[in-house]
Amino acid sequence: MTSTVDPITLPQRTASNDTEIDREALARLLIEIARNVDPDYRARFDGVPTADPRMETLRQLLVSREISELSRVTHLLDEPEQLAAAVGDVLSNAAARAPHAQLGEALAPAVERAVQRSIQKSPRTLTDILYPVFLPAIRKSIGEKIDQTFQSLNETLRHIFTWHGLKWRFESWRTGASFSEVVLKHSLIYRVEHVFLINRNSGLLIAHVTADNATSEDPQLISSMLSAIQDFVKDSFNEKEQSGLDTIRFGDLRLWSEVGPFATLVSVIRGNPPEELHEIVRDVLLRIHDECSQALEQFDGDSSQLAGIEAQLQTCVELKQEESNQGFPWLVVAAALLILIPAGGWFFLSWQSGQRWQAYVSRLETQPGIIVAEQKIRGGQFYIAGLRDPLGADPQSLLSGTQVDPARVHSQWQLYQSLEPEFVLKRLTASLTPPDTVRLSIVNDRIVAEGEAPDTWIDRARAAARQLSAGGPEFDISKVRDVSPEARAAEHWQAYVSRLGTQPGIIVAEQKIRDGQFYIAGLRDPLGADPQSLLSGTQVDPARVHSQWQLYQSLEPEFVLKRLTASLYPPDTVRLSIVNDRIVAEGEAPDTWIDRARAAARQLSAGGPEFDISKVRDVSPEARAAEHWQYYVSRLEAQPGIIVAQQTARGGHFYISGLRDPLAADPQALLSGTEVDPDRVHSHWQFYQSLDPKFVVKRLTASLTPPKSVQLSIIQGRIVVVGEAPAAWINRAQAAAEQLSADGVVLDVSQLHELDLAELNHLREAIQTTDIFFSSGKVVPGPEQIPVLDRLAGQIKEFAQDARKSGVTARFMLTGHSDATGRETANASISAARAETVRALLNKRGVAPELLLVRGAGTFEPAVPENSQTGSSTNRRVSVTVNLD
């Protein structure tokens, strides 16, 4: 970049245009100078003085500017700060105009010392400067190496098990090259067809070289398109300026781009090139920049200074790898087959023999009582060693059927005793010799003995069980019964004691066997079973049983029930039963029996079961009447709109008071069916308005008179209004909702929509613009108004019918008018009479009279001013107003 800073400029004083100089004095001074230079002039001008004080003036006129500039420069050199500022202003221009060689030699030592001191002081600064430059280059180099590795691995894996792979592996062994290099040499077939050198800044094509037999369109157009693609990608994805599009692929064609400082080298390659080709193309680009960097930087379309570049590019298009056309190596294949067939046969037989031996070993390992410790194959012989239980299977006999030659098997077995349950069972059976009444079996890895045996055999079995508990399976003899007479008697006695323990009313406190006799003591309820009678069927000798029983009263519910039944003598209308360990009485009884039952219940509450008599009803007349009254009161309390504030029964009469909604049920009518004498009931009810949604809906229906298109319903305690209605009715409903909200009742009108009366508006407008006119002083319209009345009657009937279909009711107000002639009272009467006449005439034409309303307006609502030309005749009329409810 050329600096715009101006060089040092010394101020120039403009030429003086002063015309006030004394010319005569100037002439004299010049003469004096001439005299001093040449003495001959002195005699000629004797009249001029020899010395004139205005010589200083002349000096100022001639050299004053130079003197001031010299003074300023001297002062500038004496002040270092000002000198540095002045030199700084011109240094950039001086450096730009200086020759590059001289400037580099002059600045090199200073720049080297400055960079060295900067790195020593802050290495991170240099790292931050070089990071954006080195990192993309390192990343690209590593990426290419990774791509090269994957390409080599991919091609190696693709051909490793193919015929070409075997042939190339032999070539690798023969030449000493790696297998991956041989694979890439034969599999990566490519040719560089075009090379474009494009200027980075302008996108202009610098040079283009094409391989033989390669065709393409306009190279300049292709160069422009490649530059446009690069710029498009950068702009679309916000890529950095240093980055670029590396690879583009179109079927078999690949475009590889290498970016340099001033130019981009694009290679068009057909086929599958190796990744090493990147380095070759990059070297060509580096050489071009080293030789022609200045010409590339200043390139403007003129390639005359870059004549040698095409020779460099030509080395790129000569790069190619063609498919080898060598003949098929039949001799190599035959030699390989001669080696592989015997080796394959030997390998198959060895593999088959090994499989048979492994099958035999697996069969041994699954045999109980045999533990294989070691097995191997060596020199075509099989060796096996381990442990074997004498009760286990014979390993030699297991060789049959395995197709393993027994002569090649060398085995060494150590005998041991297996702790597997089946072997332990065999040894126990052989050592204990159980009687026929005992059966030994294996249950869940446990040896279980069941049956009957003498106590001597049981003792031997217990000793064997203790020995096995050290590490073998458990030996359970708990299910073997002792069949000695004492054991049988003790067993029968325990069965008898257990039977007594389950009997209600019997508590066994102590029982024992001593010297062949049986002793038992405890408590017994007299209502319980007889212990002596329970001995029958137990095979226990009654003569050997000694019992001592203390009588007591059991608190078990069944015994308490028996005692209550015996003491209370319940009537036939009362039933006693046990429910969840409680004694429950149900039915009807006199109050005297109920009192006795309550006293018995209080006695039982000290520790016995509960005695519930709440379900026994008192059958006395007073109790029945009170029961009926309570039923009536409960019935009233369940009624909506009725609030019972107080109720009492006194002196055979019943008193009740509270609040009642007028819409609620009649309390007097509810007496029917309760068996309460109405003459004995004295009621006092205060009227109130209930906020129960059912009553609120009734009042709203009565007050608002909703149209047929509107439905009021109760949803989860809220009154919801759904449908369509006129705007006036919706306003009334919203006002009612606001009033009810103060009382806590929700009236939801959000689902209420305004009725669309667009179809009726046209007919409504036609009716309201129709007037019936009268002659002065007349209350009957003239014959000319008859067609108007006929048309009006039809329109009113049609409008009323359409309004009903829309869910609203139409009302028509007939308003009579008069002119200002005569008294006001007479005008009011005649206007009302005119409205009544029109109503009668419309009724005669089929209009229902309930749809028509009349009023007289007199002179108060004139259609036009009275003082106008048509005022009187226009105001003598009957007008119609349509209202919708």
Side-chain angles (χ1 to χ4, degrees):
M1 179 183 296
T2 303
S3 175
T4 58
V5 179
D6 295 332
I8 296 176
T9 56
L10 297 178
Q12 296 178 357
R13 180 179 298 176
T14 57
S16 176
N17 295 325
D18 190 3
T19 59
E20 301 298 329
I21 298 176
D22 189 350
R23 298 182 179 274
E24 183 180 355
L26 179 59
R28 291 177 179 178
L29 288 175
L30 293 174
I31 293 172
E32 183 63 23
I33 293 171
R35 286 175 178 175
N36 291 330
V37 173
D38 189 359
D40 294 334
Y41 287 97
R42 182 182 301 271
R44 296 180 188 180
F45 303 97
D46 294 332
V48 180
T50 59
D52 194 335
R54 295 188 180 181
M55 285 292 293
E56 182 65 21
T57 305
L58 177 63
R59 186 174 63 85
Q60 291 293 332
L61 290 172
L62 296 177
V63 294
S64 61
R65 177 174 175 274
E66 288 76 6
I67 293 173
S68 62
E69 289 296 330
L70 289 174
S71 299
R72 189 178 71 83
V73 171
T74 303
H75 179 73
L76 182 66
L77 295 175
D78 292 339
E79 294 293 334
E81 293 182 359
Q82 296 183 10
L83 179 61
V87 172
D89 291 339
V90 299
L91 182 60
S92 58
N93 269 343
R97 296 179 180 181
H100 293 290
Q102 296 177 2
L103 181 63
E105 293 176 359
L107 294 179
V111 172
E112 289 175 358
R113 288 194 297 271
V115 172
Q116 183 178 7
R117 292 195 60 186
S118 175
I119 294 173
Q120 291 175 352
K121 183 178 180 180
S122 178
R124 184 173 181 84
T125 302
L126 182 63
T127 304
D128 294 339
I129 294 173
L130 296 179
Y131 175 81
V133 179
F134 284 171
L135 183 61
I138 294 171
R139 187 192 306 120
K140 184 172 182 180
S141 177
I142 293 176
E144 290 179 0
K145 289 298 181 183
I146 293 175
D147 292 340
Q148 178 181 349
T149 302
F150 277 105
Q151 185 183 41
S152 175
L153 178 61
N154 181 42
E155 295 297 329
T156 302
L157 293 177
R158 191 157 63 91
H159 296 284
I160 192 169
F161 295 115
T162 63
W163 166 245
H164 289 290
L166 295 176
K167 182 176 65 172
W168 295 340
R169 190 172 293 278
F170 176 75
E171 181 180 347
S172 172
W173 170 78
R174 182 174 55 83
T175 60
S178 64
F179 178 65
S180 59
E181 292 178 358
V182 175
V183 171
L184 292 178
K185 173 184 175 183
H186 292 283
S187 60
L188 300 183
I189 309 303
Y190 70 95
R191 184 178 72 150
V192 179
E193 295 188 350
H194 301 273
V195 177
F196 298 87
L197 187 64
I198 304 171
N199 185 268
R200 284 192 61 185
N201 296 326
S202 62
L204 297 175
L205 180 64
I206 299 173
H208 169 235
V209 179
T210 305
D212 296 337
N213 300 326
T215 60
S216 67
E217 297 296 332
D218 184 7
Q220 188 66 44
L221 178 60
I222 296 176
S223 171
S224 302
M225 291 302 297
L226 290 174
S227 300
I229 292 173
Q230 293 272 8
D231 296 339
F232 172 75
V233 173
K234 289 180 182 178
D235 297 339
S236 299
F237 302 101
N238 296 323
E239 285 298 313
K240 298 179 180 179
E241 185 63 29
Q242 295 85 352
S243 61
L245 201 60
D246 294 331
T247 304
I248 303 176
R249 183 169 182 175
F250 301 96
D252 291 337
L253 286 180
R254 297 171 187 260
L255 273 70
W256 281 5
S257 175
E258 291 295 337
V259 181
F262 308 114
T264 301
L265 184 62
V266 180
S267 302
V268 180
I269 308 168
R270 184 177 300 276
N272 188 16
E275 291 296 328
E276 293 92 338
L277 190 60
H278 278 290
E279 298 181 3
I280 299 174
V281 176
R282 193 178 300 118
D283 291 340
V284 173
L285 183 62
L286 289 176
R287 287 198 304 270
I288 292 175
H289 276 80
D290 289 341
E291 297 174 1
C292 310
S293 59
Q294 186 174 3
L296 290 174
E297 182 181 6
Q298 300 175 357
F299 180 75
D300 57 357
D302 184 10
S303 302
S304 59
Q305 298 180 0
L306 301 171
I309 288 182
E310 292 188 357
Q312 297 278 2
L313 298 180
Q314 190 66 34
T315 60
C316 293
V317 297
E318 293 175 355
L319 297 174
K320 61 182 178 178
Q321 175 68 42
E322 298 180 351
E323 188 173 5
S324 176
N325 295 321
Q326 296 178 358
F328 190 80
W330 293 105
L331 184 60
V332 176
V333 173
L337 290 177
L338 288 176
I339 297 173
L340 291 176
I341 289 175
W346 175 83
F347 177 78
F348 175 75
L349 293 177
S350 299
W351 174 82
Q352 188 179 47
S353 178
Q355 291 295 109
R356 292 170 181 171
W357 170 250
Q358 291 300 327
Y360 169 65
V361 174
S362 299
R363 187 176 180 186
L364 281 179
E365 289 175 342
T366 59
Q367 290 296 319
I370 295 179
I371 299 176
V372 178
E374 183 182 3
Q375 62 88 17
K376 60 184 178 179
I377 305 173
R378 188 173 66 245
Q381 303 294 314
F382 304 104
Y383 298 88
I384 190 167
L387 303 176
R388 170 177 173 264
D389 192 292
L391 299 176
D394 183 10
Q396 201 69 15
S397 64
L398 294 175
L399 277 171
S400 61
T402 61
Q403 297 183 4
V404 177
D405 186 5
R408 299 167 61 192
V409 178
H410 307 276
S411 59
Q412 185 178 2
W413 300 101
Q414 297 290 333
L415 297 180
Y416 84 110
Q417 284 190 353
S418 174
L419 292 179
E420 294 189 15
E422 54 186 293
F423 294 102
V424 175
L425 177 61
K426 291 180 182 180
R427 292 189 179 89
L428 285 175
T429 304
S431 61
L432 293 178
T433 316
D436 297 337
T437 57
V438 174
R439 182 173 64 88
L440 300 181
S441 60
I442 298 173
V443 180
N444 296 331
D445 293 333
R446 297 163 56 248
I447 300 173
V448 178
E450 297 177 285
E452 297 177 347
D455 51 0
T456 56
W457 189 91
I458 294 175
D459 292 339
R460 289 168 55 209
R462 286 196 182 98
R466 285 193 295 272
Q467 292 177 357
L468 283 176
S469 63
E474 180 184 356
F475 184 24
D476 184 6
I477 60 172
S478 61
K479 296 182 179 180
V480 179
R481 293 180 299 164
D482 191 351
V483 295
S484 59
E486 293 76 9
R488 284 190 175 275
E491 184 179 347
H492 296 156
W493 170 251
Q494 290 301 327
Y496 169 66
V497 173
S498 299
R499 186 176 181 186
L500 283 178
T502 60
Q503 291 295 319
I506 295 179
I507 299 175
V508 177
E510 184 182 4
Q511 64 87 18
K512 61 184 177 179
I513 306 174
R514 190 174 65 244
D515 299 333
Q517 302 294 313
F518 305 105
Y519 299 89
I520 191 167
L523 303 176
R524 171 177 173 262
D525 191 290
L527 298 177
D530 184 8
Q532 199 70 18
S533 63
L534 295 175
L535 278 170
S536 61
T538 61
Q539 299 181 10
V540 177
D541 185 5
R544 298 167 63 188
V545 177
H546 306 277
S547 58
Q548 186 177 3
W549 299 104
Q550 297 290 333
L551 297 179
Y552 84 110
Q553 285 191 351
S554 173
L555 293 179
E556 294 187 15
E558 56 186 295
F559 294 103
V560 175
L561 177 60
K562 291 179 180 179
R563 292 189 180 90
L564 286 175
T565 303
S567 62
L568 291 179
Y569 299 107
D572 297 337
T573 56
V574 174
R575 182 173 63 87
L576 301 180
S577 59
I578 299 173
V579 179
N580 296 332
D581 294 331
R582 297 163 56 250
I583 300 173
V584 178
E586 297 177 283
E588 297 178 347
D591 51 0
T592 55
W593 189 90
I594 293 175
D595 293 338
R596 289 169 53 211
R598 287 197 182 97
R602 286 192 294 271
Q603 292 176 357
L604 284 175
S605 64
E610 181 184 354
F611 183 25
D612 183 6
I613 59 172
S614 61
K615 296 183 179 180
V616 178
R617 292 181 299 166
D618 191 352
V619 294
S620 57
E622 293 77 8
R624 284 189 176 275
E627 182 179 348
H628 297 156
W629 170 250
Q630 290 300 326
Y631 169 73
Y632 170 64
V633 172
S634 300
R635 189 175 180 185
L636 280 179
E637 290 175 341
Q639 291 294 320
I642 295 179
I643 300 175
V644 177
Q646 185 178 7
Q647 62 87 18
T648 56
R650 187 172 64 249
H653 289 262
F654 307 103
Y655 301 88
I656 189 168
S657 62
L659 303 176
R660 171 177 172 260
D661 191 288
L663 298 176
D666 185 6
Q668 198 72 15
L670 295 175
L671 279 171
S672 60
T674 61
E675 300 184 14
V676 177
D677 185 4
D679 296 333
R680 298 168 64 188
V681 177
H682 307 277
S683 58
H684 180 67
W685 301 102
Q686 296 288 335
F687 287 111
Y688 86 111
Q689 284 192 352
S690 173
L691 294 179
D692 187 283
K694 293 186 289 186
F695 297 102
V696 176
V697 168
K698 291 182 181 179
R699 291 191 181 90
L700 286 174
T701 303
S703 61
L704 295 178
T705 314
K708 295 179 181 179
S709 59
V710 175
Q711 180 182 3
L712 279 69
S713 58
I714 301 172
I715 300 175
Q716 297 180 352
R718 298 162 59 251
I719 302 173
V720 180
V721 185
V722 181
E724 296 181 345
W729 193 91
I730 293 176
N731 294 334
R732 290 168 54 202
Q734 290 174 345
E738 293 176 357
Q739 293 177 356
L740 289 173
S741 64
D743 298 329
V745 180
V746 178
L747 177 60
D748 185 2
V749 297
S750 61
Q751 302 182 39
L752 191 62
H753 304 288
E754 185 176 353
L755 186 64
D756 186 9
L757 300 177
E759 298 179 358
L760 297 176
N761 288 336
H762 179 72
L763 187 58
R764 182 180 186 176
E765 186 66 23
I767 293 175
Q768 292 187 153
T769 55
T770 301
D771 291 327
I772 308 298
F773 296 100
F774 296 82
S775 301
S776 178
K778 302 293 182 179
V779 297
V780 177
E784 72 280 359
Q785 298 297 317
I786 292 177
V788 179
L789 286 169
D790 293 338
R791 185 176 66 256
L792 179 62
Q795 290 175 343
I796 290 175
K797 289 187 288 184
E798 181 182 356
F799 188 89
Q801 184 178 0
D802 293 344
R804 280 194 298 271
K805 292 180 181 178
S806 300
V808 295
T809 302
R811 295 286 189 273
F812 303 92
M813 176 64 71
L814 305 177
T815 303
H817 305 271
S818 66
D819 55 18
T821 304
R823 292 180 302 168
E824 189 62 39
T825 56
N827 291 332
S829 298
I830 196 170
S831 64
R834 288 170 177 169
E836 288 290 350
T837 301
V838 172
R839 177 182 183 182
L841 292 174
L842 292 176
N843 188 16
K844 183 178 179 182
R845 285 166 172 78
V847 179
E850 63 270 12
L851 299 180
L852 303 175
L853 304 175
V854 297
R855 60 184 283 266
T859 60
F860 294 105
E861 299 176 8
V864 296
E866 276 293 327
N867 55 7
S868 63
Q869 185 175 0
T870 60
S872 298
S873 61
T874 304
N875 290 333
R876 294 190 299 268
R877 76 192 193 284
V878 171
S879 61
V880 184
T881 304
V882 180
N883 297 318
L884 295 175
D885 297 329

